Every structure is written in structure tokens, then in C-alpha cells.
């Protein structure tokens, strides 16, 4: 699943899902489907969705950023 793939690649699942929700419509508008850049191991995804970036707290499956 997307959530398990995100976890396996050191991402915060909620942040990764939000990233996909933002990027997929942009790709559709441009008519470009470079799915590789949406994969959880892609460098840009790692930068924006990594659990190592920023401070966060996970409470009952909800990720809070501060």
C-alpha cells in the first residue's frame, strides 16, 4: 500500500499522501506523467516528506508538525 511504502522509505505517510494529492493534479494539467518522481524513494519526495525533516509528533496515527 502507499502507506506501507512510505513507512519503508522513512517517510511520514500523511505527508507523503498530501504530496501525492498536490502533485498528481499538476501532472494531469501538464499532461506529463513522470511517475518516478512520485515514488517514495525519489530524492525530491525524500526531501519534502522525510521523517527526518522538521519536528513532528505522531499521536494515535495523526502526525502533528511544529
Amino acid at each position: 500500500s502507499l502507506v506501507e511504502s512510505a513507512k519503508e522509505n522513512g517517510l511520514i505517510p500523511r505527508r507523503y499522501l498530501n504530496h501525492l494529492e498536490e502533485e498528481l493534479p499538476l501532472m494531469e494539467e501538464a499532461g506529463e506523467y513522470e511517475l518516478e518522481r512520485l515514488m517514495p524513494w525519489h530524492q525530491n519526495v525524500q526531501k519534502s516528506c522525510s521523517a527526518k525533516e522538521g519536528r513532528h509528533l505522531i499521536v494515535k496515527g495523526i502526525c502533528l508538525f511544529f
Side-chain angles (χ1 to χ4, degrees):
S1 77
L2 290 173
V3 171
E4 291 304 317
S5 294
K7 288 178 186 178
E8 288 292 320
N9 285 277
L11 305 179
I12 298 169
R14 171 54 46 201
R15 193 181 282 185
Y16 179 57
L17 293 174
N18 287 343
H19 178 77
L20 293 177
E21 288 176 352
E22 291 172 3
E23 292 296 318
L24 282 169
L26 296 175
M27 288 179 138
E28 185 176 25
E29 286 177 12
E32 299 174 3
Y33 293 96
E34 296 176 40
L35 297 181
E36 177 64 27
R37 66 177 224 205
L38 296 178
M39 297 296 124
W41 53 82
H42 192 273
Q43 179 180 346
N44 292 340
V45 174
Q46 286 287 320
K47 285 181 183 178
S48 63
C49 305
S50 175
K52 297 175 186 174
E53 296 294 322
R55 295 180 56 192
H56 65 279
L57 175 66
I58 299 176
V59 179
K60 294 185 179 182
I62 299 171
C63 188
L64 307 170
F65 299 97
F66 50 95

